[in-house]
Amino acid sequence: MDGKRPRSFYVLAAFFVLFLVFLYGPTITIAILSFQGPEGGLTFPMRGVSLHWFRDLFQEQAVGDIWGSFRRSFALGLMVMVTTVVVSVMGGLAFRKRFAGSGLLFYLIITSLVIPSILISLGVGLIFSQTGLNVHWASSGFGAQLTWTLPFGLLIMFAVFNRFDRSFEEAARDQGASPWQTIQHVVLPIIAPSLIGVALFGFTLSYDEFARTLLTAGSYNTLPLEIYGMTTNVTTPVIFALGTLTTIFSFLVIGVFLLTVLVLGRRRARQGSDAGKGMV
Amino acid sequence: MQNLLKSRHIAGWLLASPLAVVLALFLVLPIVMIVIVSFWGATEFSIYPAFQFDNYEFLFGSPVTYSVFLNTFKYAAITWVFTLVIGFTVAYFLAFHVHSLTWQVALFLLCTIPFWTSNIIRMISWIPFLGRNGLANSTLISWGVIDEPLEWLLFSDFSVILTFVHLYTLFMVVPIFNTMMRIDKSLIEAAYDNGATGFQTLTNVIIPLTKPGIMIGSIFVVTLVMGDFITVRFMSGSQSANVGRLISNDIALLQYPSAAATAVVLLVTVLIVIAVLLRFVDIRKEL
C-alpha cells in the first residue's frame, strides 16, 4: 500500500474528475452565460460581457416578484429549519426505545420520504380547498415541506443515536442528573454538530423545494415557483442571472453551515477533556 | 415493572408527538383525501362528492395509461442503471482509493453540495449545453464528428435521462459510500492474501457487503424518478409523458378526481416497488 499507487487509482481518479465536471459543468456554464452582453442569447457565443441581466433582475417590473418570493423562501426556509431540528431531535430521542406504534411511525417516515411529491401537493391542496381554507406558503406550504425535510432530519438523528455512547448518559445519571439535565448537559452538546447538519438539510431542502409547494403555496410564490414560472415565458439570460444568484446564495448558506461544524469541532478538540475541573 | 413499561410508551409518544402530528396532518390525511376524491365526480369547473369508479374505469380503459406507465418504468430503469454504475464507481474510489480522511470528507462533500442547491436551476443549466447551437453541438461540429447539429440532444428522452442521472446520482453515492466505509478493511486484505485478484475481491467481497447501500440508493433513485413530473415536462419539451405529468395535466385542467385516481395507482405502484427492494435490506439496521 505504501508509496506507489496502483494503475486503477489513476483510472478511477480520472473517472471521479469527469463526474465532478458533469456535476458542476452546467452550473458553471450558466454562471458564465449570465454575464452575456445585452444582445446575447441563451447559448454561446458570448456577445460581449456585461452585468445587463443582473441589472434587469433588480428592476422589479421586468420579471415578476423576484425579491418578494426570495424573502418568502428565506422566511419559510428558516421556519422549516427550526421545526425540522426540534422535531427531529425529539423524534430521534423517542426512537431510542421501542414504544407501542414506533414501528408504524417509522414506516410513515419512510413513506414520507418516498411518496411522489405531487401527491402531497395534491392531497394538501384538496384538503384546504374542500374545507374552505386558503392555501398559504406559511401554513399549507410549510406543512407540505416538512414531509420532505423531516425524514432526512430523522434519518440523520437515527444514525447519530445508533453511534451514541450510552455510557456518557449512564455516568450523568449515576452522578444524580435528572433525565432533562442529562439531555441538556450531556446528550445535546455531544450531538450538536449533527444538529447543524440537520439544520442545513432543513433550510436548503425547503429553500429549493418545488413539487410539494406547487399547489400549497397559494397566491404568493416562493422562489423556486417563481423560477419555474420564468422557465415557460422568459427566453433571455435573465433567468441564468437569477439561477447564478440563487446558486451563489445556496453555496454561501452551505459554507456557513460547514464552517460552523468545523469551528465547533476545532473548539471541542482544543478544549478536550475537562476531567479534574469538576464543578465541586 | 408494569408501571415502568407504561411510562416508556408514554415518554416515547410525548417525544414523538410533534412528528406524529405533522405526519398525520400532512401525509396520512392527504393520502386519505386523495383516495376519497379518486371516487368523486367532476364537471368542467367543479368537483362533487360521489362514490363511483368512473375515474378508475377511464384510467384502466385507456391505452395511454399503459404506455405512460411503461414510459415511467423505462425512465426509472435506465436512470437506475446509470446512477448505480456511476455512483458505485465514485463511492468505490472515495472509500478505497483515497486514503486520507480529510480528503475523503472534502471530496465527498464536493459530491453532495449540488444536492443542497436548486434542482430547477440545475435542469435549466443543461440548455446552453445541449441546445441546437449549444456547446455539445458546436464542439462536435468543430471537431468534424458531425456536419449537422444533432436534434436529439435537447428536448428528448436523452436529455430527460441525462438530467435524471445528473440530479440523482448523489442519492446513490451517499448510501453506497456510507456502507463501504463500514467494511472492515482486513476482509479485503484477507481476500488479497488468499490470492484473489482485484476484480475477484470486488465481486466476491465488496459488492455483497455494499448491497444494503445499493438498495437504499436504488429506493431513492427509483422513487424520485417514478414520482417526477417537472424534469420530464421540462427536459422533453413537453413531448414525452410519465405518470407524474399525467397527474399534473389533470390538475391543470382542474380534473382533481381523475388526478387523484392516477395518483392512487402511482402510489400503489411505487409502494410495491419499494416493498420488493426492502426485502433485500433492513433500513433500520443500516443507519
Side-chain angles (χ1 to χ4, degrees), chain A residues 12-35:
Chain A
L12 287 168
F15 185 88
F16 184 78
V17 171
L18 277 180
F19 176 68
L20 287 185
V21 170
F22 172 64
L23 214 49
Y24 289 93
T27 313
I28 295 169
T29 313
I30 67 156
I32 296 171
L33 281 172
S34 60
F35 292 100

Side-chain angles (χ1 to χ4, degrees), chain B residues 179-213:
Chain B
T179 353
M180 278 180 175
M181 288 300 278
R182 287 201 262 156
I183 295 178
D184 189 348
K185 294 282 188 292
S186 56
L187 291 174
I188 293 159
E189 302 222 341
Y192 280 121
D193 290 347
N194 282 296
T197 62
F199 185 71
Q200 282 173 323
T201 315
L202 182 69
T203 52
N204 292 314
V205 181
I206 296 174
I207 290 181
L209 288 174
T210 315
K211 224 192 213 158

Side-chain angles (χ1 to χ4, degrees), chain A residues 51-212:
Chain A
L51 291 172
H52 178 82
W53 303 107
F54 289 96
R55 228 173 289 132
D56 233 27
L57 209 53
F58 283 87
Q59 289 164 352
E60 295 208 10
Q61 70 279 16
V63 274
D65 181 17
I66 300 290
W67 301 103
S69 61
F70 170 75
R71 274 194 300 274
R72 284 188 285 277
S73 276
F74 190 73
L76 183 57
L78 290 180
M79 284 162 61
V80 170
M81 178 185 89
V82 172
T83 317
T84 303
V85 171
V86 173
V87 174
S88 301
V89 171
M90 290 177 71
L93 287 170
F95 270 95
R96 294 203 298 171
K97 301 193 182 93
R98 276 185 190 280
F99 53 92
S102 60
L104 177 72
L105 201 54
F106 180 77
Y107 279 107
L108 278 184
I109 297 166
I110 300 298
T111 310
S112 191
L113 192 64
V114 299
I115 189 171
S117 301
I118 195 164
L119 265 84
I120 300 284
S121 226
L122 175 62
V124 174
L126 279 173
I127 290 175
F128 273 68
S129 66
Q130 290 304 310
T131 50
L133 295 166
N134 276 328
V135 283
H136 191 272
W137 58 268
S139 57
S140 48
F142 171 65
Q145 291 197 342
L146 284 178
T147 62
W148 178 234
T149 58
L150 280 180
F152 283 100
L154 284 158
L155 290 182
I156 296 174
M157 289 323 296
F158 291 161
V160 168
F161 281 126
N162 273 355
R163 291 166 179 73
F164 192 84
D165 188 348
R166 293 267 178 127
S167 52
F168 289 119
E169 270 177 285
E170 275 161 36
R173 222 172 295 134
D174 289 347
Q175 315 247 356
S178 71
W180 171 238
Q181 283 176 320
T182 314
I183 288 178
Q184 194 189 350
H185 295 296
V186 179
V187 179
L188 286 184
I190 293 178
I191 63 172
S194 6
L195 294 191
I196 295 166
V198 176
L200 172 65
F201 274 84
F203 183 83
T204 56
L205 293 189
S206 158
Y207 179 74
D208 298 320
E209 173 53 42
F210 168 76
R212 293 187 195 218

Side-chain angles (χ1 to χ4, degrees), chain B residues 118-152:
Chain B
S118 166
N119 274 5
I120 294 184
I121 299 291
R122 292 174 66 203
M123 241 179 261
I124 296 170
S125 57
W126 277 106
I127 290 177
F129 206 82
L130 298 175
R132 200 166 185 285
N133 305 312
L135 272 183
N137 270 327
S138 48
T139 312
L140 288 175
I141 290 175
S142 73
W143 285 352
V145 182
I146 49 171
D147 302 320
E148 293 274 294
L150 299 170
E151 297 287 351
W152 50 265

Side-chain angles (χ1 to χ4, degrees), chain B residues 14-286:
Chain B
L14 277 179
L15 284 167
S17 56
L19 172 67
V21 169
V22 171
L23 292 182
L25 284 181
F26 291 97
L27 178 71
V28 179
L29 218 54
I31 295 176
V32 172
M33 189 69 188
I34 288 176
V35 173
I36 294 173
V37 172
S38 71
F39 294 104
W40 286 13
T43 65
E44 257 178 65
F45 14 69
S46 71
I47 59 176
Y48 57 90
F51 186 74
Q52 51 188 28
F53 288 85
D54 296 23
N55 302 312
Y56 289 102
E57 262 168 38
F58 181 77
L59 188 65
F60 286 112
S62 158
V64 174
T65 310
Y66 298 98
S67 71
V68 166
F69 264 89
L70 201 68
N71 211 26
T72 308
F73 279 118
K74 183 186 82 183
Y75 285 144
I78 300 176
T79 309
W80 177 73
V81 171
F82 278 103
T83 52
L84 176 60
V85 171
I86 300 173
F88 186 90
T89 315
V90 167
Y92 179 81
F93 171 73
L94 285 179
F96 296 114
H97 282 273
V98 179
H99 296 307
S100 117
L101 186 67
T102 318
W103 272 105
Q104 264 177 341
V105 173
L107 294 179
F108 177 73
L109 275 176
L110 216 51
C111 292
T112 44
I113 282 173
F115 172 63
W116 295 313
T117 65
S118 166
N119 274 5
I120 294 184
I121 299 291
R122 292 174 66 203
M123 241 179 261
I124 296 170
S125 57
W126 277 106
I127 290 177
F129 206 82
L130 298 175
R132 200 166 185 285
N133 305 312
L135 272 183
N137 270 327
S138 48
T139 312
L140 288 175
I141 290 175
S142 73
W143 285 352
V145 182
I146 49 171
D147 302 320
E148 293 274 294
L150 299 170
E151 297 287 351
W152 50 265
L153 284 180
L154 188 60
F155 302 139
S156 59
D157 277 354
F158 171 79
S159 55
V160 171
I161 289 167
L162 182 78
T163 312
F164 275 140
V165 174
H166 182 232
L167 291 178
Y168 299 142
T169 297
L170 37 98
F171 282 93
M172 278 288 189
V173 175
V174 174
I176 294 179
F177 175 73
N178 183 36
T179 353
M180 278 180 175
M181 288 300 278
R182 287 201 262 156
I183 295 178
D184 189 348
K185 294 282 188 292
S186 56
L187 291 174
I188 293 159
E189 302 222 341
Y192 280 121
D193 290 347
N194 282 296
T197 62
F199 185 71
Q200 282 173 323
T201 315
L202 182 69
T203 52
N204 292 314
V205 181
I206 296 174
I207 290 181
L209 288 174
T210 315
K211 224 192 213 158
I214 293 175
M215 283 306 154
I216 293 175
S218 304
I219 290 175
F220 269 118
V221 170
V222 169
T223 55
L224 282 167
V225 173
M226 287 189 70
D228 173 89
F229 64 99
I230 170 73
T231 313
V232 174
R233 202 201 103 150
F234 193 70
M235 294 311 289
S236 77
S238 298
Q239 291 176 48
S240 305
N242 70 344
V243 184
R245 277 205 69 201
L246 218 54
I247 299 174
S248 73
N249 285 351
D250 275 341
I251 293 174
L253 296 170
L254 305 181
Q255 298 296 305
Y256 294 117
S258 152
T262 315
V264 170
V265 177
L266 173 64
L267 181 62
V268 171
T269 317
V270 168
L271 290 180
I272 291 173
V273 171
I274 294 167
V276 172
L277 289 173
L278 275 179
R279 295 195 73 90
F280 299 100
V281 55
D282 180 355
I283 289 193
R284 288 187 86 158
K285 254 199 229 151
E286 296 307 326

